[in-house]
Amino acid sequence: MLSHLGAKLAAVATRRGRRTQLYFLTRTAAVMAAAALAGCMSDGRQTVAAGHPAEPSARTAGVGYRSTIAPYDSLRPATPLPWRERNDGVTPPAKPNQ
């Protein structure tokens, strides 16, 4: 249907001398319409692979727990030290030839 409309508009535009603009617009409209419709199509896979979801005897995958903050170590309360001592404790050692 869009191709028929594009052909009609192209014929009118050619007669008026504006073929390139109209050709671009009709092709752009056709591509946009195809992209919009492609988003509505299904991919062909079954949506319910293991039976009906309301069935009480349906098998399900196991559930596990993993903490998201497991390696966290609290750093409070930290003993206050003068800033120079804390800074000297984390700086790399000086190179001997400098």
Side-chain angles (χ1 to χ4, degrees):
M1 183 157 174
L2 285 176
S3 61
H4 292 287
L5 177 65
K8 288 179 186 178
L9 291 175
V12 171
T14 303
R15 187 124 176 125
R16 293 185 183 166
R18 295 185 302 175
R19 172 147 170 71
T20 55
Q21 276 184 335
L22 199 54
Y23 179 76
F24 174 74
L25 289 176
T26 55
R27 292 298 172 196
T28 304
V31 168
M32 291 178 70
L37 291 175
C40 298
M41 294 176 56
S42 90
D43 59 356
R45 292 182 289 185
Q46 285 185 333
T47 55
V48 180
H52 197 272
E55 184 180 335
S57 63
R59 298 183 54 134
T60 59
V63 178
Y65 175 76
R66 228 178 339 165
S67 175
T68 57
I69 57 169
Y72 174 74
D73 291 329
S74 177
L75 299 176
R76 293 187 184 151
T79 57
L81 294 173
W83 67 269
R84 182 158 313 268
E85 291 176 17
R86 290 184 78 103
N87 193 28
D88 290 342
V90 295
T91 54
K95 294 182 180 177
N97 57 354
Q98 285 186 352

